[in-house]
Structure formats: C-alpha cells, structure tokens
Amino acid sequence: MKQMQENEIVSLTACVAYILGVGPSEVPGDGGVRLNQWLAVRNLGLVPVESPQSFEWPGRFIGLCADTSSWAIFFGAPPGVLHDPLDQSTKREGVAFKAAFVLAEHDPLRRAEVGQGSKEVGRIELIGVAAKAEAPMRVVSSAEATVCCGLVGDRYEKGAGTFSDPAGRGYDLTLVEAEAIEGLTAKGVKLAPEEARRNLVVRGIALDDLIGRRFKVGEVECLGQRRCEPCAQLEKLTRPGVLRGLVHRGGLRADILSSGEIHTGDLIEVSE
C-alpha cells in the first residue's frame, strides 16, 4: 500500500473492523504491513482494484473517495455508500474513487478459526539456514533460536532476508511439511527438502492448525502467524512447477517467543 494520511488510516481501519464485526481497536491501525499480516492470520487480504472508477461489485468493497480522501464501504452495482466511518460521503451520489479494495479470502477452502486446530505432534526432520538472501540453504543438526529474531546465522535473524520487514511479524522462523515436499514428486517436480528454503522441515503435524496458536519446537516456544506461501522468488531459485505444487502447502511463518537451542528430531507440539 502507498503511504496514507491519518484520516485515510483511521477510516480504512474502521471499514475493516465494520466488515469483520469487531471493534476498531482490535484492528492494527497502521494501514500497512501490520494490518495485512493481521488479516493474513485470518485467511484474509485486501485485494486492490485495478480500475476503481469503473468498478462495480454486487457485494461490499472499500473505496477511497476522491473528494474527501477517506475510505468508506460501498455495495452494489452501481455502488452506493453502505457505511462511512467519518460520515463525509453518505449523502453523496456518484462518488469518485481514487482507489478501492475487496476484502477477500486467501484460500476459500480454509475455514478454520484462529486458535482452533488439532493437537497432533510432529517432529523436525531438517534444520536449514542461509547466510544471506538467495544464498543456498545450509543443513545443520542444531541451531540457536533467539526471541523476536530467528535462528542464529540465518538471513532473517540478521534482518537481511528477501522479505525482511522491521514493521512486520512472522519472519523469525519458517516451517514446511515434509509431506508437502514429497507431494511435489507425484506432480513431476523433484525438490530436495532444503531447497524449499524453510528453516524447519517437519513431519506428522498439520502446520495450518498452528496459525494463531502457541506451539513448542523442542523447548523453544513459538507463535504461528500465517501461511508461508510459495512465490515467484522461490520458483526462480529452484525450478518450474514449485510454485504451483506448493500453493497453500508452502508452510508456516512463526514468531519465536523464547530463546533456546533446537535439534533435528525435536518434537513440535501445541502448547496447552
């Protein structure tokens, strides 16, 4: 998102809260990274509309009014104001838009609520770190996890990863299911576990079930933030077919809540 003015941030935050039926104080009020990541935990994202002025949608969308520079919720085709948190455009017709978003699900098939899930136990099969962005992953038998940073020696622990962002969360630790990597073989794509470029390759636990939950990696406590989806960057560093094969199976991003050493073979289990 572009840099927003204060009234834009306030009104956008209020619009998201209204659609989700929560109080505005529950929604991150930055209009940027923290908001997007908060939504991602809930399997949601703000999808920008390419041509907002001609956009018509038989549902709710969030539009930035050109004359007031504030966001409001619109509905229908042609669109009318459904909710205006700053009460500046509710009595106007033919509103002109500078931008618009649709609040959409990342994965329409995933309906799990935050904090819900199984209590299965998994195990670490591989630990990997890379010294800098795009460098090959180095397989290690153990690694030191540090609070709010990552695994010592990894590019994200140094804040030098491709997607590092000091304003964001979920960059400390990445995990992927060994079963997801093996599933690529059935699709004709061979990928070594370390080539998935996740810190931990685990087996026996559904990582989606850890989103929004505290869990332990050995004795290190973590918090599941959101899916670690594959992208064009991963496919560039590996081979064609990886992105398609790992859609919604790319793993998990997590925060590290306590420091300690983790080892290959350590258990991964949900904290009570």
Side-chain angles (χ1 to χ4, degrees):
M1 297 182 187
K2 68 176 182 63
Q3 190 69 30
M4 293 187 184
Q5 301 298 318
E6 183 177 357
N7 66 322
E8 291 184 47
I9 294 175
V10 171
S11 56
L12 178 61
T13 302
C15 286
V16 171
Y18 180 89
I19 291 176
L20 297 183
V22 300
S25 62
E26 296 182 45
V27 182
D30 70 326
V33 173
R34 290 192 298 118
L35 172 60
N36 286 331
Q37 294 184 353
W38 184 86
L39 289 170
V41 172
R42 290 153 179 78
N43 192 36
L44 296 168
L46 289 171
V47 182
V49 174
E50 183 175 355
S51 302
Q53 195 51 52
S54 59
F55 183 66
E56 293 189 349
W57 173 249
R60 292 178 295 184
F61 68 94
I62 305 173
L64 178 61
C65 307
D67 54 349
T68 62
S69 293
S70 65
W71 297 88
I73 300 172
F74 294 83
F75 184 92
V81 177
L82 181 65
H83 175 69
D84 180 4
L86 299 187
D87 197 26
Q88 298 184 89
S89 60
T90 51
K91 296 179 174 60
R92 304 184 185 187
E93 297 180 357
V95 177
F97 299 113
K98 290 197 291 186
F101 291 116
V102 173
L103 186 61
E105 294 178 322
H106 287 173
D107 177 8
L109 298 180
R110 179 162 72 88
R111 302 293 182 181
E113 296 292 333
V114 175
Q116 302 295 316
S118 70
K119 292 189 177 180
E120 294 178 287
V121 176
R123 191 177 296 274
I124 300 174
E125 287 200 347
L126 179 144
I127 303 172
V129 295
K132 58 183 181 180
E134 301 191 8
M137 296 293 286
R138 179 170 58 92
V139 177
V140 296
S141 59
S142 64
E144 186 71 23
T146 57
V147 176
C148 299
C149 287
L151 300 185
V152 173
D154 188 64
R155 73 277 198 204
Y156 283 96
E157 183 259 341
K158 302 173 183 177
T162 300
F163 302 105
S164 289
D165 190 323
R169 299 178 64 187
Y171 298 109
D172 299 351
L173 188 70
T174 54
L175 306 86
V176 66
E177 297 168 20
E179 295 88 344
I181 297 173
E182 292 166 355
L184 288 172
T185 303
K187 300 175 182 178
V189 182
K190 292 185 178 180
L191 190 74
E194 65 271 19
E195 289 184 298
R197 302 192 65 78
R198 307 301 189 243
N199 296 129
L200 305 181
V201 178
V202 304
R203 185 180 295 277
I205 191 166
L207 293 178
D208 267 10
D209 288 348
L210 302 182
I211 296 173
R213 309 183 79 188
R214 288 173 179 255
F215 62 96
K216 282 191 172 182
V217 179
E219 294 302 314
V220 175
E221 190 167 23
C222 302
L223 173 66
Q225 277 290 340
R226 60 191 182 280
R227 281 176 172 170
C228 186
E229 294 283 23
C231 63
Q233 175 74 0
L234 177 61
E235 187 157 282
K236 183 187 82 170
L237 296 175
T238 53
R239 56 191 55 81
V242 168
L243 189 154
R244 181 180 298 179
L246 288 180
V247 167
H248 301 326
R249 298 289 318 270
L252 176 74
R253 288 191 178 277
D255 294 331
I256 296 174
L257 304 182
S258 68
S259 297
E261 195 164 290
I262 60 175
H263 307 82
T264 303
D266 279 353
L267 295 181
I268 297 178
E269 50 192 333
V270 177
S271 300
E272 294 298 336

